[in-house]
Amino acid sequence: MSSKERPTLGGTRIKTRKRNITAPLDPAAFADAVVQIYLDNAGDLELIAKSIESSDLNFNRYGDTFFEVVFTGGRTQPGTTKPDEGERHPYSIIDCEPKREVILPSVVYIQKILRRRPFLIKSLENVMRRFLQSLELFEENERKKLAIFTALAFSQKLSGLPPETVFQPLLKDNLVAKGIVLSFVTDFFKEYLVDNSLDDLISILKRGKMEDNLLDIFPSAKRSAEGFSEHFTKEGLIPLVEYNEKKIFEVKLKEMKSVLTTQIAEEADISEVIDSVKQHVKDAKLPDIEVVRILWDVLMDAVQWSGKNQQQNANAALRQVKTWAELLNTFCTNGKLQLELLYKVQMQCYEDAKLMKLFPEVVRSLYDQDVLAEDTILYWFRKGTNPKGRQTFVKSLEAFVKWLEEAEEEE
């Protein structure tokens, strides 16, 4: 035997390794099959849903293609919204009228498909994200149809569709700058609020991480509170305007309270604190009554209360009133504001058991520091409208009021 020859075992068969052979992707054939179902059933979505249910089409593989056919009537070229080769049907969302009663059946139809094939929700997300990121490629009336569909999808609670899928892709600089996002979102808001409350809309925006970024949908030239109010007032969305104004107001109140808290804690010069509050009031256009409420809350929050030791608590509260009396005086400029301050004192003493007996002492101190006028105290005593603890506080203030009345008679 030659040294180059190798022995073999007679009768054995050499086995070749099996390889995983995958069928080539054929989205075109899938799309054509779905289009044919639409054409065979003349666009009747109920019949189409039944035909799709009984078909052996590979939705696991071609879910994205399926929704392209639903939205545009056929396949779209990769990376665009332009039609790809192949047959198309005229019953798509893009081809219908931009009216809710026309588009709603498509939402119901998709809901039926998703109930049978819940895994397709990811494909719906993919296609919606791609279309919303490419809104500039659609015509204006086509964008409106997409906005109406999106609003109805959330209104009908389309299975599992997350709001962030819809809103986050919109915030592309080029789309925002062209005003396309503002137009889309406006159409969405108007349509969604037909069947849902403002609270429902805010909930959707929160989940979509948009609630605090509503100004980001405006082109930079219009990105202001005034621009927001002007635009949505013109569009008839007054509740949304009021909500945004309230939110801005709350933010500004919080900012002022935070600055004031720091200044009080650091025992800043009282003139500096007064100037700071005045500036916040001017910049944020804060109502005087809210300023008075915040001043009292911040001053009392800064007090180091001493458990159940009434005398120590009384001394701490009175010391705080005396220290910051000029601050209170600056902003309690009339009887109405003084009465509001008195109601704040009443509520705090009512809600905090350890302060219940301090009410007359605090009122007396505010009077001595010229923060509360005699007329204000007497009005509260005789006609006060807040019932919280009123009987107890009126009784505890009787001696002081009697003294005020006698002094008034003497004068």
Side-chain angles (χ1 to χ4, degrees):
M1 182 183 292
S2 169
S3 61
K4 293 183 179 180
E5 293 182 80
R6 293 182 181 179
T8 60
L9 294 174
T12 61
R13 191 176 293 173
I14 299 174
K15 293 183 179 180
T16 58
R17 181 181 298 170
K18 290 184 177 179
R19 298 182 180 180
N20 293 324
I21 301 175
T22 57
L25 289 173
D26 191 6
F30 177 89
D32 289 344
V34 176
V35 168
Q36 193 58 51
I37 291 175
Y38 271 83
L39 295 174
D40 290 345
N41 292 283
D44 187 318
L45 293 177
E46 287 193 19
L47 295 177
I48 292 169
K50 289 179 181 178
S51 297
I52 286 176
E53 177 58 32
S54 61
S55 74
D56 58 357
L57 294 171
N58 191 346
F59 285 91
N60 283 295
R61 200 167 199 183
Y62 304 116
D64 287 19
T65 302
F66 171 69
F67 284 111
E68 287 179 6
V69 175
V70 171
F71 278 97
T72 68
R75 291 180 66 205
T76 57
Q77 294 179 16
T80 73
T81 59
K82 296 178 181 179
D84 205 343
E85 293 182 4
E87 201 169 5
R88 310 188 76 75
H89 70 82
Y91 309 109
S92 69
I93 293 169
I94 292 301
D95 288 323
C96 71
E97 291 183 80
K99 297 179 180 177
R100 72 191 324 265
E101 61 270 19
V102 179
I103 296 175
L104 182 58
S106 292
V107 178
V108 176
Y109 158 71
I110 291 175
Q111 185 75 287
K112 289 179 181 178
I113 301 295
L114 290 175
R115 283 172 183 160
R116 293 285 186 174
R117 295 179 170 86
F119 61 86
L120 281 177
I121 189 65
K122 196 64 185 175
S123 294
L124 176 60
E125 288 181 45
N126 293 338
V127 172
M128 288 190 69
R129 184 183 295 111
R130 177 151 53 87
F131 285 171
L132 295 179
Q133 286 178 330
S134 308
L135 280 177
E136 74 271 23
L137 302 179
F138 290 95
E139 300 293 332
E140 184 177 351
N141 71 323
E142 292 175 340
R143 292 197 290 266
K144 184 170 185 178
K145 295 169 194 176
L146 287 174
I148 293 173
F149 172 85
T150 306
L152 290 173
F154 285 123
S155 185
Q156 297 293 314
K157 296 179 173 56
L158 196 62
S159 300
L161 185 65
E164 55 269 27
T165 296
V166 174
F167 296 118
Q168 292 307 310
L170 288 172
L171 299 179
K172 291 177 63 178
D173 291 343
N174 64 316
L175 295 179
V176 173
K178 294 175 183 177
I180 292 174
V181 175
L182 179 58
S183 177
F184 179 90
V185 170
T186 301
D187 288 334
F188 172 88
F189 285 169
K190 291 169 75 171
E191 190 59 48
Y192 185 80
L193 289 172
V194 170
D195 293 325
N196 302 276
S197 68
L198 181 65
D199 287 341
D200 293 329
L201 176 60
I202 300 307
S203 177
I204 290 282
L205 294 174
K206 283 181 179 178
R207 288 169 54 203
K209 301 176 183 177
M210 279 283 289
E211 185 210 9
D212 297 325
N213 306 309
L214 284 177
L215 282 182
D216 290 348
I217 66 176
F218 284 78
S220 56
K222 299 180 180 179
R223 194 171 296 168
S224 65
E226 293 75 16
F228 185 101
S229 298
E230 182 181 345
H231 172 77
F232 286 113
T233 298
K234 184 179 178 181
E235 294 293 336
L237 297 176
I238 305 299
L240 183 63
V241 173
E242 292 173 345
Y243 167 81
N244 192 60
E245 289 176 347
K246 181 181 178 183
K247 190 170 178 60
I248 292 172
F249 174 74
E250 289 173 350
V251 168
K252 290 179 177 177
L253 278 183
K254 189 175 181 180
E255 287 175 356
M256 190 187 89
K257 189 171 184 177
S258 176
V259 171
L260 184 58
T261 298
T262 301
Q263 290 178 317
I264 298 296
E266 295 175 352
E267 299 181 349
D269 184 81
I270 195 164
S271 61
E272 179 186 336
V273 177
I274 290 172
D275 289 343
S276 175
V277 174
K278 284 182 176 179
Q279 191 62 48
H280 275 91
V281 171
K282 181 181 178 182
D283 294 343
K285 299 177 182 177
L286 299 176
D288 293 339
I289 201 164
E290 290 294 340
V291 175
V292 170
R293 290 169 181 165
I294 288 178
L295 289 178
W296 184 256
D297 284 340
V298 172
L299 289 177
M300 290 300 105
D301 286 345
V303 174
Q304 300 296 315
W305 303 109
S306 177
K308 296 181 180 179
N309 190 314
Q310 291 293 326
Q311 190 55 53
Q312 287 185 11
N313 285 332
N315 292 340
L318 299 180
R319 185 164 54 249
Q320 191 76 329
V321 168
K322 186 175 181 179
T323 301
W324 298 101
E326 186 181 345
L327 175 63
L328 292 169
N329 235 322
T330 302
F331 297 96
C332 291
T333 53
N334 56 48
K336 182 180 179 181
L337 297 175
Q338 291 177 21
L339 187 62
E340 181 59 34
L341 176 61
L342 193 40
Y343 281 136
K344 284 293 294 181
V345 176
Q346 177 185 347
M347 285 303 299
Q348 184 179 22
C349 292
Y350 172 77
E351 292 172 353
D352 192 335
K354 69 177 178 289
L355 305 179
M356 197 81 172
K357 295 181 181 180
L358 299 187
F359 181 77
E361 294 185 65
V362 173
V363 173
R364 177 66 183 255
S365 178
L366 289 169
Y367 171 79
D368 289 341
Q369 300 299 325
D370 294 326
V371 177
L372 292 180
E374 177 183 324
D375 290 345
T376 302
I377 298 171
L378 293 176
Y379 181 90
W380 176 91
F381 185 82
R382 295 163 183 166
K383 299 180 181 180
T385 56
N386 191 324
K388 301 287 180 70
R390 177 167 171 77
Q391 277 188 309
T392 300
F393 294 141
V394 165
K395 188 171 182 62
S396 69
L397 208 61
E398 281 180 348
F400 179 56
V401 167
K402 184 178 180 181
W403 178 82
L404 286 177
E405 290 173 336
E406 288 175 350
E408 190 177 30
E409 289 175 4
E410 288 178 7
E411 291 177 3

